[in-house]
Amino acid sequence: MRQAGRSLPEYRRVRADVPMLEACARPDMIVEITMQPVRRHGVDAAIYFSDIVVPLKAIGLDLDIKSGVGPVVADPVRDADGIKRLRELSPDDVPFVTEAVGTLVGELGTTPLIGFAGAPFTLASYLIEGGPSKNHERTKALMYGEPELWNDLMRRLSGITLEFLKVQIAAGAGAVQLFDSWVGALSAEDYRTSVLPHTSWIFERLGELDVPRIHFGVGTGELLSLLSEAGADVVGVDWRVPLDKAAQRVQPATALQGNLDPAALFAPWEVVAERAGDVLSRGRAAEGHIFNLGHGVLPDTDPDMLTRLTEFVHEESQT
Ligand code: 1CP
């Protein structure tokens, strides 16, 4: 999740004069920001500080991350010529990743580092829409209307994503997470036809590398069995489906991650504790459970609430 987000004063301090994409390309910033939530909250794993659009920037696309908005693409990709601009990613395009991951693995010691990338559908949505989108209408127009172009785009994005994850794994990341944040916008049938073959391809290739693979999307209640079919070891669940129900929807031997509502952290502590306790007890129905929020930390979250939550989960999961 976007753990550091903007909830930590120390994060805001180091980011004050550094634009997001510059921070994502500077090993000193990556290391510091990745370590901040580990130091402050004592979480069990670190998530590599980056963004899903970093590999797209690295292959030369003109895009930026605007504060309070998200990724914005100067010249959206909407036709065959646009798709041709998506060349393959080489490890030499992202030397800062190799350097930062290497340093982090040393600093983290026994705490694992989770690497991540955006999944092809979610990346395609930013590229086609030109920025964050509520309805993904241009994305769906291409997907429904021009399946050959769509598949070409998805194949190219899958290659870039796989390579970006492989760079992180080669440098020492102990697990990887594929974020298909906006895929919940699709019906199961459209997901099966237009997305599943591509994410399956990525997970199959990652399977050769022997690191745990996590797959996450928002609003994916109806897609959980298909997301799991794509081949991850762990499926992330937002807050809309309780974990005992989610456990029945995924493939056998698949663990779950989640799924406390990030907005619940704005309620009084007793409510947070009760809800977190419920997540933990329902999570026992799953093959394995990584406690997490159902989506990223909201920027106005009280950091002390996160520390208290981490302590609570550690205490409760020992029993
Ligand atoms: O702890 C960490 O620092 C995590 C690093 C991280 C991750 C895992 C960031 C930093 N981004 C991401 C992944 C990411 N980026 C996803 C997938 C996970 C998710 O769903 O949260 C997505 C969809 C994005 C795209 C993105 N980047 C958005 C969402 C926009 C939208 O469409 O609603 C935003 C706001 C960003 C910017 C961003 N990325 C990360 C941070 C800390 C920020 C905020 C930067 C700022 O405004 O200063």
Side-chain angles (χ1 to χ4, degrees):
M1 301 302 126
R2 279 177 266 141
Q3 274 178 355
R6 286 151 287 179
S7 73
L8 301 186
E10 59 268 36
Y11 170 76
R12 289 196 206 111
R13 221 172 295 131
V14 296
R15 275 286 322 284
D17 307 314
V18 188
M20 180 67 188
L21 283 175
E22 191 188 322
C24 294
R26 274 179 47 184
D28 60 331
M29 296 281 292
I30 298 169
V31 171
E32 169 57 22
I33 297 173
T34 301
M35 293 302 296
Q36 285 177 347
V38 181
R39 278 189 217 123
R40 188 192 260 258
H41 305 306
V43 285
D44 300 316
I47 183 134
Y48 178 75
F49 177 75
S50 185
D51 192 80
I52 57 170
V53 297
V54 165
L56 303 178
K57 177 83 179 172
I59 60 159
L61 294 191
D62 184 2
L63 57 85
D64 197 8
I65 293 183
K66 292 227 158 79
S67 182
V69 178
V72 178
V73 182
D75 188 5
V77 171
R78 292 183 182 153
D79 53 22
D81 282 345
I83 291 170
K84 285 202 197 92
R85 285 188 276 142
L86 294 173
R87 67 160 172 86
E88 286 180 11
L89 179 84
S90 125
D92 296 338
D93 295 317
V94 286
F96 50 88
V97 174
T98 305
E99 187 184 333
V101 170
T103 308
L104 277 166
V105 169
E107 283 204 20
L108 283 162
T110 53
T111 303
L113 177 68
I114 306 174
F116 75 90
F121 174 83
T122 293
L123 292 176
S125 172
Y126 285 110
L127 289 179
I128 297 168
E129 306 293 339
S133 168
K134 191 159 168 248
N135 299 315
H136 310 278
E137 52 267 59
R138 289 175 190 271
T139 310
K140 289 183 178 180
L142 189 80
M143 193 179 106
Y144 299 151
E146 300 190 73
E148 274 184 28
L149 271 190
W150 172 260
N151 282 321
D152 184 14
L153 173 61
M154 294 292 276
R155 269 193 295 271
R156 287 172 191 249
L157 290 171
S158 299
I160 292 166
T161 287
L162 177 66
E163 194 55 42
F164 191 57
L165 291 173
K166 281 169 84 172
V167 170
Q168 297 172 62
I169 294 167
V176 286
Q177 177 150 204
L178 187 70
F179 285 109
D180 214 347
S181 300
W182 312 136
V183 81
L186 297 181
S187 70
E189 196 155 326
D190 289 331
Y191 178 87
R192 184 185 281 289
T193 308
S194 305
V195 178
L196 181 63
H198 303 285
T199 40
S200 300
W201 181 87
I202 295 170
F203 282 121
E204 209 175 293
R205 265 140 204 90
L206 288 174
E208 297 155 12
L209 301 175
D210 207 26
V211 291
R213 300 156 296 173
I214 311 170
H215 193 184
F216 172 81
V218 180
T220 54
E222 293 296 323
L223 299 181
L224 284 175
S225 79
L226 287 169
L227 278 183
S228 163
E229 221 178 276
D233 305 293
V234 184
V235 171
V237 185
D238 73 5
W239 59 92
R240 293 174 176 90
V241 180
L243 293 182
D244 50 340
K245 274 207 182 136
Q248 294 165 2
R249 297 184 190 178
V250 295
Q251 301 286 310
T254 303
L256 298 180
Q257 174 184 267
N259 74 341
L260 185 68
D261 184 346
L265 295 172
F266 291 75
W269 167 250
E270 295 66 41
V271 176
V272 176
E274 192 196 321
R275 287 182 168 248
D278 187 54
V279 168
L280 287 169
S281 71
R282 289 177 188 268
R284 294 204 165 95
E287 191 67 30
H289 174 214
I290 301 169
F291 183 92
N292 202 338
L293 301 183
H295 201 189
V297 175
L298 296 165
D300 292 332
T301 306
D302 174 2
D304 291 341
M305 198 58 119
L306 293 168
T307 307
R308 206 166 170 186
L309 176 63
T310 310
E311 281 165 8
F312 176 83
V313 172
H314 281 155
E315 279 160 22
E316 292 292 309
S317 48
Q318 272 160 14
T319 58

